[in-house]
Amino acid sequence: MSPSPPQPPTPAPAAAPAPIRLLIVDDDPLVRAGLRLMLGGASSGIEIVAEASDGTEVDALVDRHTPDVVLMDIRMPTVDGLAATEQLRRREPAPEVVILTTFNADEHVLRALRAGAAGFVLKDTPPAQLVAAVRRVAAGEPVLSPAVTQQLIEHVAGSGRDGRRERARGLLDRLNDREREVAVAVGQGKSNAEISAGLFMSVATVKTHVSRILTKLDLNNRVQIALLAHDAGLLE
């Protein structure tokens, strides 16, 4: 009787993905405690590496803990979330920033998005949606719908609109026709897959165009592309 053939080795189980490292910044200790409770569960895939009560603490904590995402309150007593976001997004590499606010149409939120925040969530967002928002931002996707973008822009449109439109159109003139089409699609809130189907190009090509747009226009992320398309009047 011939020996049984050797069996192939059992493949090792795939390693679990590393948790998303999160820094929470809010001046209210009760809010921080609630966020820790909502976001820090074992099933969320999120590790809360540190907390801060003011923007003055953020830089040192980012140096010490290297978070992937910073959940940032917009209103704090000494250094607010806007200034802290602007400072963080100048770092290389920079963590992603999600603005945490009680306002859904606030000029300060819009300024933070222009400074490079990847989106914002309201403080009364349900826990599952909050976890999903952190995961999306960590994956490089914005957490901002086109409708909310338009609402924010219309809310503060009274000052400097003409100047913003002229500046935005001048910047978009640096793009070729294909890049401009992709920029408009990003402004419409479409995913890479949706842009790929609509413009008849591969997802890899879409990603290449998005990267080139960011480089050419010296932008941080897709939210800033969307804001520029809105400012230029391309989505009206």
Side-chain angles (χ1 to χ4, degrees):
M1 180 174 178
S2 59
S4 300
Q7 297 298 311
T10 303
I20 298 163
R21 299 173 61 80
L22 179 69
L23 167 63
I24 296 173
V25 186
D26 194 292
D27 63 330
D28 187 334
L30 291 178
V31 171
R32 294 199 307 274
L35 290 170
R36 178 177 284 278
L37 186 65
M38 287 190 289
L39 294 168
S43 62
S44 71
I46 297 169
E47 177 189 0
I48 299 172
V49 295
E51 298 177 15
S53 60
D54 192 80
T56 53
E57 306 167 37
V58 170
D59 253 1
L61 289 173
V62 169
D63 284 339
R64 191 177 310 146
H65 299 285
T66 59
D68 303 302
V69 178
V70 178
L71 191 57
M72 180 87 73
D73 187 18
I74 197 72
R75 298 176 185 276
M76 291 179 288
T78 307
V79 173
D80 65 16
L82 173 61
T85 297
E86 290 173 337
Q87 190 166 335
L88 275 185
R89 294 303 297 172
R90 288 194 291 266
R91 297 172 68 103
E92 189 60 47
E96 297 293 348
V97 178
V98 180
I99 296 299
L100 184 67
T101 181
T102 54
F103 304 90
N104 64 353
D106 184 350
E107 181 175 2
H108 294 293
V109 173
L110 184 55
R111 287 177 60 194
L113 296 174
R114 293 189 190 282
F120 78 92
V121 292
L122 301 180
K123 289 188 178 182
D124 59 359
T125 299
Q129 293 181 25
L130 198 56
V131 169
V134 172
R135 287 176 173 170
R136 285 187 61 185
V137 167
E141 301 174 18
V143 286
L144 194 67
S145 72
V148 171
T149 305
Q150 188 63 45
Q151 180 187 6
L152 282 167
I153 290 174
E154 288 174 355
H155 180 70
V156 296
S159 60
R161 183 170 188 171
D162 291 341
R164 289 198 306 271
R165 175 162 294 197
E166 183 176 345
R167 174 185 173 275
R169 288 181 172 177
L171 286 171
L172 291 171
D173 282 343
R174 300 178 189 176
L175 305 179
N176 62 38
D177 290 343
R178 207 57 165 157
E179 291 164 348
R180 192 180 180 91
E181 289 177 329
V182 171
V184 170
V186 169
Q188 292 167 339
K190 294 180 179 178
S191 66
N192 287 340
E194 290 169 334
I195 297 171
S196 167
L199 296 181
F200 306 102
M201 62 177 73
S202 70
V203 170
T205 301
V206 173
K207 291 179 179 178
T208 298
H209 281 311
V210 170
S211 295
R212 286 176 179 168
I213 293 167
L214 294 173
T215 300
K216 280 187 176 183
L217 304 186
D218 193 25
L219 301 177
N220 276 284
N221 54 35
R222 295 169 75 100
V223 172
Q224 289 187 327
I225 296 175
L227 289 172
L228 204 62
H230 277 286
D231 285 347
L234 299 182
L235 308 180
E236 296 174 355

